[in-house]
């Protein structure tokens, strides 16, 4: 049951798809205080657990820390952070009383989940729609919430293949080197990503013709080999006279404006740039149409970046800071002055004051950015998705974004931003998955191998052994870091084994994904959502993956394996490429040896799993299925059978197959 409560005059965010009449009064579970902000608080019982918040730091159980919904580009992702690139303000309190609550507020939202006091939860928001969701158990509540927010995005089937990316591929030659590197090492590849260097001086919707003389030809040649080129699009548009996207946007008034009505100029990769006002319907449509030049070149997928939106500096604050700094010229600086001088420059990036200084022209009137900050990535991505639908209604496109808000899950997926080549980030990747799924984001993944810093062969292999299960499976790294394409390392057979598992399990991954999207279910669930024993309630490093499988990846360096808790008897599957061994293990704790060239997972009793023979790309898989099984009687499975490209409108693509025990 969903109840809606309205506080103040919240901006309509587009998070939900159902009309619900507002209740009077306050949700019974909270004490509500009205001040400058609204505050919602309740007591937490000794054993209460709190789930949700999608892309966030720390545990699957969010209790014990403070979090913030405020989309932020800051690539140092440590435990001390409170806000990442996305705001997914949905939580479920699970315990003596179990309820879900969604704070639909596009401005800053703060969660204190047993941080100030272990026994208290408090949330503060600006004007907000608050949805209280009650149901029989946590799964029912999440299902109800997913109905409220609408069906999750389903990418084309090829987008479930493995992709290689790197910030730094400069030219067609660089791209071909990667393609051949994979082919020569007999490693699969479905996607190769273009980062900002394909553009002409980082200008959106341009292609540097000296380095990419024939993008259309390149895209076609690669597609013939089953590989898609997936370019990046950044939020901000270079402010440069003569650049048609900029000039047209200015002429039509489609950029965010300052108080005087002039485009608000910010610095990002291209230098001075303007932010398309994607919250304005006409501007959004116009920005979406810009993708056409790339679509016309045969491009079928994009990643949208810098859409928190990131501001390295605002023109105005930068000028002011430079003036201020020059006033110190020739003077002696006391340490405090020196620190202030440095801080005036480092504080330019994503300065909260800048977000108060530009405006959106929306159907709901002129709104200062700060109030709708968390919607920017959502609406940028929506602009692209809406245009793709118009451009080729018979086709699905790959689309994912760095920044997001609930509601965007209907239009695209997410990657979780600039992580690092740290072991702890494998575990963080795992922990975010169920939380993202709760909030509707099913197509998601992290930069495998780590974005920042130098990876190692072992780290990459272990991370890929988790990545084989994540819908978005992309290896991506920053400029200047160690090269981390799989073929750069030593043990090619190990990479073949691990990447091969992805293709082997693809029929299962795809069927589970589509079913979960169509029915509002979670692809990744914490053990606590399925098993009600005390141990399962506390497991933070294992997940259910679909209905049939439990995963428990290794996330420590030099480990021989790891301890795994089995809440029931399960079948251990050790997989290398297309081959595997099976072993039945009893309920309880086991030390499982896991060599780096192997992927292990666990099949639940009474369950089956369709698998296929690996191939070098999704399009070249032969379609023949085998079944992993741990059953005693004929067991039904819903297999997704479609062309992998046409939009999926309903459950017709799911076929019930009965598997006989063997
Ligand atoms: C941002 C993105 C990263 C990308 C880089 C250059 O940091 O998060 O993935 O490689 O920008 O475009």
């Amino acid at each position: 049951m969903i109840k809606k409560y309205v506080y103040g005059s919240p901006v309509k965010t587009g998070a939900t798809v159902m009309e619900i009449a507002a209740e009077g009064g306050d949700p019974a579970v909270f004490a509500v205080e009205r001040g400058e902000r609204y505050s919602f608080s309740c007591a937490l019982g000794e054993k209460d657990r709190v789930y949700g918040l999608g892309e966030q730091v720390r545990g699957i159980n969010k209790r014990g820390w403070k979090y913030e919904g405020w989309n932020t580009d800051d690539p140092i992702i440590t435990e001390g952070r409170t806000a990442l690139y996305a705001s997914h303000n949905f939580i479920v309190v699970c315990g003596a009383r179990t309820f879900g609550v969604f704070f639909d507020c596009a401005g800053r939202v703060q969660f204190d989940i047993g941080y100030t006091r272990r026994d208290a939860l408090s949330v503060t928001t600006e004007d907000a729609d608050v949805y209280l969701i009650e149901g029989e158990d946590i799964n029912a509540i999440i299902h109800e919430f997913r109905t409220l927010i609408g069906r999750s995005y389903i990418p084309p089937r090829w987008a479930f293949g493995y992709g290689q990316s790197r910030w730094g591929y400069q030219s067609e030659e660089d791209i071909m080197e990667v393609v051949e590197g994979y082919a020569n090492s007999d490693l699969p590849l479905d996607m190769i990503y273009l980062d900002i260097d394909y553009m002409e001086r980082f200008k959106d919707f341009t292609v540097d013709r000296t380095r990419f003389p024939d993008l259309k030809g390149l895209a076609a040649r690669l597609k013939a080999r089953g590989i898609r080129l997936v370019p990046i699009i950044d939020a901000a548009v270079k402010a440069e006279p003569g650049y048609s996207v900029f000039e047209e946007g200015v002429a039509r008034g489609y950029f965010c404006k300052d108080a005087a009505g002039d485009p608000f100029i910010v610095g990002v990769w291209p230098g001075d740039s303007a932010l398309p006002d994607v919250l304005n319907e006409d501007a959004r449509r116009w920005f979406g149409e810009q993708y056409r030049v790339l679509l016309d070149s045969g491009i079928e997928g994009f990643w949208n970046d810098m859409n928190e939106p990131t501001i390295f500096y605002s023109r105005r604050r930068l000028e002011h800071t430079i003036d201020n700094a020059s006033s110190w010229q020739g003077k002696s600086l006391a340490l405090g002055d020196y620190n202030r001088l440095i801080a005036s420059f480092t504080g330019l990036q994503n300065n909260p004051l800048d977000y108060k200084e530009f405006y959106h022209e929306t159907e709901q009137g002129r709104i200062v950015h700060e109030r709708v900050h968390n919607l920017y990535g959502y609406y940028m991505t929506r602009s692209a998705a809406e245009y793709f639908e118009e451009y080729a209604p018979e086709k699905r496109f790959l689309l994912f974004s760095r920044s997001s808000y609930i509601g965007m899950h209907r239009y695209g997926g997410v990657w979780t931003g600039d992580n690092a080549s740290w072991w702890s980030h494998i575990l963080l990747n795992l922990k975010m998955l169920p939380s993202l799924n709760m909030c509707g984001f099913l197509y998601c993944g992290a930069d495998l191998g780590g974005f920042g810093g130098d990876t190692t062969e072992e780290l990459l292999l272990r991370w890929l052994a988790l990545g084989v299960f994540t819908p978005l499976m992309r290896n991506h790294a920053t400029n200047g870091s160690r090269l981390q394409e799989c073929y750069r390392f030593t043990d090619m057979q190990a990479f073949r084994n691990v990447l091969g598992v992805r293709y082997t399990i693809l029929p299962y991954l795809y069927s589970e994904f589509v079913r979960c999207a169509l029915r509002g279910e979670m692809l990744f669930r914490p053990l606590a959502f399925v098993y009600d024993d005390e141990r399962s309630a506390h497991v933070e490093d294992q997940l259910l993956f679909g209905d049939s499988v439990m995963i428990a990846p290794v996330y420590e360096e030099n480990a021989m394996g790891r301890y795994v808790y089995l809440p029931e008897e399960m079948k251990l599957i050790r997989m290398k490429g297309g081959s595997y061994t099976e072993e039945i293990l009893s309920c309880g704790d086991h030390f499982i040896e896991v060599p780096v060239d192997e992927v292990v997972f666990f099949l639940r009793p009474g369950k089956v799993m369709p698998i296929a023979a690996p191939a070098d790309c999704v399009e070249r898989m032969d379609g023949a299925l085998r079944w992993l099984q741990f059953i005693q009687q004929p067991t039904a499975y819903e297999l997704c059978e479609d062309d992998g490209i046409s939009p999926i409108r309903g459950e017709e693509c799911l076929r019930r197959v009965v598997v006989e025990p063997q």
Side-chain angles (χ1 to χ4, degrees):
M1 206 203 359
I2 309 179
K3 286 187 179 158
K4 176 178 175 179
Y5 302 85
V6 179
Y7 292 88
S9 336
V11 172
K12 288 196 188 66
T13 63
T16 61
V17 293
M18 279 163 69
E19 284 299 327
I20 293 179
E23 307 275 323
D26 296 322
V29 294
F30 289 119
V32 182
E33 275 175 44
R34 294 162 167 78
E36 232 171 79
R37 292 166 64 77
Y38 296 91
S39 141
F40 303 82
S41 43
C42 70
L44 289 175
E46 182 59 30
K47 292 198 163 174
D48 287 4
R49 287 169 274 124
V50 181
Y51 294 100
L53 296 184
E55 181 181 309
Q56 258 296 0
V57 292
R58 300 223 172 192
I60 297 176
N61 176 0
K62 294 279 170 285
R63 188 164 179 176
W65 189 239
K66 54 186 170 166
Y67 305 87
E68 226 179 348
W70 183 257
N71 296 353
T72 306
D73 170 28
D74 174 348
I76 311 298
I77 301 175
T78 58
E79 270 185 38
R81 291 282 299 280
T82 55
L84 301 180
Y85 302 91
S87 296
H88 303 143
N89 304 327
F90 172 58
I91 54 173
V92 179
V93 178
C94 199
R97 174 141 194 211
T98 298
F99 60 91
V101 55
F102 173 43
F103 298 91
D104 191 8
C105 163
R108 205 180 282 270
V109 181
Q110 280 143 332
F111 295 83
D112 179 331
I113 308 184
Y115 165 73
T116 304
R117 289 177 58 116
R118 177 128 189 110
D119 61 357
L121 164 79
S122 86
V123 182
T124 62
T125 69
E126 292 161 14
D127 291 1
D129 285 331
V130 177
Y131 295 86
L132 180 74
I133 305 156
E134 288 174 299
E136 162 187 328
D137 61 15
I138 188 161
N139 297 302
I141 289 168
I142 293 167
H143 185 265
E144 190 87 9
F145 177 61
R146 297 276 298 280
T147 311
L148 172 68
I149 62 175
R151 206 187 92 179
S152 302
Y153 159 77
I154 303 177
R157 194 171 208 260
W158 54 262
F160 289 86
Y162 169 73
Q164 180 64 57
S165 183
R166 181 176 180 82
W167 176 13
Y169 297 152
Q170 295 284 340
S171 60
E172 175 166 338
E173 289 73 50
D174 286 356
I175 297 300
M176 288 317 294
E177 187 190 320
V178 176
V179 169
E180 299 308 345
Y182 272 89
N184 294 338
S185 296
D186 203 11
L187 294 166
L189 189 67
D190 264 275
M191 284 151 283
I192 177 151
Y193 290 82
L194 296 175
D195 207 318
I196 48 175
D197 299 295
Y198 79 89
M199 300 177 194
E200 193 191 297
R201 289 179 297 115
F202 310 137
K203 280 148 62 183
D204 274 345
F205 313 113
T206 67
V207 175
D208 185 307
R209 297 284 167 203
T210 51
R211 291 178 287 113
F212 288 89
D214 177 19
L215 189 77
K216 191 172 184 176
L218 178 65
R221 283 199 305 284
L222 290 178
K223 189 170 168 183
R225 295 172 69 164
I227 300 170
R228 259 66 176 200
L229 266 183
V230 184
I232 194 171
I233 299 294
D234 280 351
V237 167
K238 185 172 174 66
E240 183 179 89
Y243 166 35
S244 64
V245 183
F246 175 67
E247 292 210 328
E248 208 177 290
V250 172
R252 298 194 185 183
Y254 286 163
F255 292 118
C256 294
K257 299 184 192 74
D258 63 15
D262 295 321
F264 186 74
I265 300 299
V266 301
V268 209
W269 304 126
D272 285 3
S273 306
L275 290 165
D277 185 0
V278 286
L279 294 182
N280 172 283
E281 224 171 284
D282 296 334
R284 180 159 83 244
R285 200 188 145 88
W286 166 79
F287 191 73
E289 281 165 6
Q290 307 304 314
Y291 285 75
R292 176 167 195 152
V293 301
L294 291 157
L295 296 168
D296 284 347
S297 292
I299 299 296
E300 296 171 307
F302 295 87
W303 47 309
N304 281 347
D305 193 19
M306 308 299 277
N307 49 9
E308 291 68 29
T310 306
I311 299 181
F312 291 166
Y313 60 81
S314 66
R315 186 73 239 165
R316 205 163 294 158
R317 195 169 305 281
L318 177 65
E319 272 158 19
H320 177 77
T321 306
I322 294 173
D323 283 350
N324 179 53
S326 356
S327 69
W328 286 101
Q329 193 133 32
K331 294 186 193 149
S332 147
L333 268 77
L335 184 66
D337 297 329
Y338 169 77
N339 287 340
R340 269 188 290 280
L341 175 66
I342 299 295
S344 68
F345 283 97
T346 54
L348 286 172
Q349 181 148 357
N350 304 328
N351 190 309
L353 297 174
D354 283 335
Y355 294 120
K356 291 179 192 287
E357 289 187 3
F358 63 93
Y359 297 85
H360 299 271
E361 309 282 350
T362 79
E363 276 181 321
Q364 302 164 71
R366 183 165 175 262
I367 305 178
V368 62
H369 175 79
E370 185 189 39
R371 286 193 69 205
V372 287
H373 175 70
N374 294 333
L375 295 181
Y376 196 89
Y378 166 11
Y379 280 86
M380 176 192 177
T381 299
R382 183 165 171 169
S383 80
E386 285 175 343
Y387 182 67
F388 299 166
E389 164 99 44
E390 207 180 295
Y391 181 83
E394 71 296 346
K395 198 158 134 175
R396 275 136 65 191
F397 289 84
L398 169 59
L399 179 62
F400 60 92
S401 169
R402 189 171 70 180
S403 186
S404 61
Y405 185 83
I406 290 173
M408 200 202 84
H409 69 286
R410 301 193 297 273
Y411 300 94
V414 291
W415 96 97
T416 51
D418 296 350
N419 62 10
S421 298
W422 298 339
W423 289 89
S424 61
H425 277 184
I426 301 184
L427 189 54
L428 184 62
N429 180 181
L430 176 131
K431 289 182 184 192
M432 281 186 195
L433 293 167
S435 315
L436 280 162
N437 283 189
M438 282 174 69
C439 300
F441 293 91
L442 294 186
Y443 191 75
C444 51
D447 288 350
L448 302 172
F451 176 75
D454 294 328
T455 201
T456 66
E457 181 161 3
E458 186 193 355
L459 176 68
L460 178 57
L461 279 165
R462 291 296 198 197
W463 210 329
L464 290 170
L466 165 61
V468 295
F469 303 113
T470 63
L472 166 63
M473 185 188 186
R474 181 178 77 141
N475 175 340
H476 179 50
T478 188
N479 222 339
S481 65
R482 178 181 188 175
L483 300 175
Q484 72 184 39
E485 295 80 15
C486 297
Y487 60 84
R488 310 260 181 204
F489 296 92
T490 318
D491 187 352
M492 278 312 105
Q493 191 53 46
F495 284 98
R496 259 172 244 134
N497 290 350
V498 174
L499 295 183
V501 170
R502 170 58 161 222
Y503 293 81
T504 304
I505 67 166
L506 204 116
Y508 175 74
L509 168 61
Y510 187 68
S511 299
E512 294 294 303
F513 182 98
V514 171
R515 181 178 52 74
C516 289
L518 291 174
R519 304 224 176 111
E521 291 170 19
M522 293 166 67
L523 180 62
F524 294 99
R525 285 171 298 172
L527 269 51
F529 288 19
V530 179
Y531 301 99
D532 55 15
D533 59 296
E534 189 67 18
R535 276 293 299 286
S536 292
H538 294 91
V539 174
E540 289 265 339
D541 61 355
Q542 305 175 197
L543 295 174
L544 274 312
F545 162 57
D547 190 41
S548 305
V549 172
M550 182 180 81
I551 60 170
V554 172
Y555 51 88
E556 282 183 334
E557 191 160 27
N558 296 313
M560 211 177 127
R562 55 164 288 177
Y563 281 96
V564 179
Y565 170 66
L566 267 54
E568 58 183 332
E569 182 184 68
M570 289 187 184
K571 192 184 254 187
L572 164 66
I573 311 285
R574 297 181 171 279
M575 199 173 257
K576 291 182 182 195
S579 61
Y580 59 90
T581 62
E582 309 180 327
E583 182 188 347
I584 294 172
L585 297 179
S586 59
C587 168
D589 294 283
H590 296 265
F591 185 82
I592 307 291
E593 282 186 28
V594 189
V596 287
D597 67 341
E598 215 171 84
V599 176
V600 303
F601 57 88
F602 304 83
L603 198 58
R604 300 172 63 199
K607 305 291 179 184
V608 297
M609 176 186 194
I611 59 171
D616 57 4
C617 64
V618 170
E619 278 180 0
R620 276 202 273 276
M621 295 181 64
D622 64 14
L625 293 184
R626 291 179 292 165
W627 293 88
L628 287 177
Q629 50 165 270
F630 190 18
I631 53 175
Q632 245 99 54
Q633 52 208 3
T635 301
Y637 186 82
E638 288 181 288
L639 197 63
C640 179
E641 288 181 327
D642 75 326
D643 63 8
I645 288 178
S646 314
I648 292 182
R649 312 249 179 242
E651 296 202 3
E652 308 78 61
C653 60
L654 299 179
R655 185 168 66 92
R656 201 164 166 275
V657 180
V658 176
V659 181
E660 297 294 328
Q662 273 169 4

